[in-house]
């Protein structure tokens, strides 16, 4: 068994789960602030961050998670008409309520005992607990372009 404590909390324009973009970057105008919590709210914890354009945010689906990770889900990108296994989707209904978003790091604000990371293109609900942040590294995180093959042709529908 594992126990995790949040390192921060999201302050976002999305106050409820309905209306949140399904993926980061879909709404570039969406802003959020990641407030680091003690003891992580020290400026030295962010030393070196200013050189990165984007960060990975690991977080908890705190408001919409239900333990349905063993059942097929209906992804909206397929019109909600096909069922896929949970690991073939980015559904919030997972065995563990953990999410991952790559967001633009607009700026870092420090002072008065606070460290605030200002984010652009976030798909995170207000109050979301953050477990970890990591730099986005284009040389290792970008996968070279591959020919696009329709998932509709590759994946058979899941049975109930």
């Amino acid at each position: 068994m594992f126990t995790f404590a949040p390192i921060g909390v999201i302050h976002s324009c999305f106050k409820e789960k309905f209306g949140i973009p399904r993926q980061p970057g879909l709404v570039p105008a969406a802003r959020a602030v990641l407030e680091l919590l003690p003891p992580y709210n020290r400026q030295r914890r962010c030393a070196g961050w200013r050189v990165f354009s984007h960060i990975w945010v690991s977080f908890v689906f705190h408001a919409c998670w239900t333990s349905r990770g063993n059942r097929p889900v209906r992804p909206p990108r397929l019109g909600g008409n096909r069922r896929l296994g949970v690991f073939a989707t980015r559904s919030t209904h997972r065995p563990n309520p953990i999410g991952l978003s790559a967001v633009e790091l607009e700026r870092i604000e420090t002072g008065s005992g606070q460290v605030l990371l200002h984010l652009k293109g976030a798909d995170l609900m207000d109050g979301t607990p953050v477990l970890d942040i990591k730099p986005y590294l284009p040389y290792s995180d970008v996968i070279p372009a591959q020919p696009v093959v329709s998932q509709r042709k590759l994946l058979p529908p899941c049975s109930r």
Side-chain angles (χ1 to χ4, degrees), residues 94-128:
R94 314 199 64 75
N96 294 300
I98 299 169
L100 181 66
S101 290
V103 295
E104 185 175 343
L105 179 58
E106 186 173 37
R107 65 187 169 94
I108 300 171
E109 182 181 343
T110 59
S112 302
Q114 286 190 314
V115 175
L116 305 173
L117 306 179
H118 292 262
L119 311 174
K120 287 175 61 176
D123 61 342
L124 301 161
M125 185 173 154
D126 191 62
T128 296

Side-chain angles (χ1 to χ4, degrees), residues 24-25 28 48-57 101-108 117-122 133-138 141-142:
W49 276 94
R50 296 186 197 283
V51 300
F52 299 105
S53 65
H54 291 73
I55 60 173
W56 290 105
V57 178
S101 290
V103 295
E104 185 175 343
L105 179 58
E106 186 173 37
R107 65 187 169 94
I108 300 171
L117 306 179
H118 292 262
L119 311 174
K120 287 175 61 176
I133 50 179
K134 292 181 175 26
Y136 176 89
L137 303 172
D141 291 341
V142 172

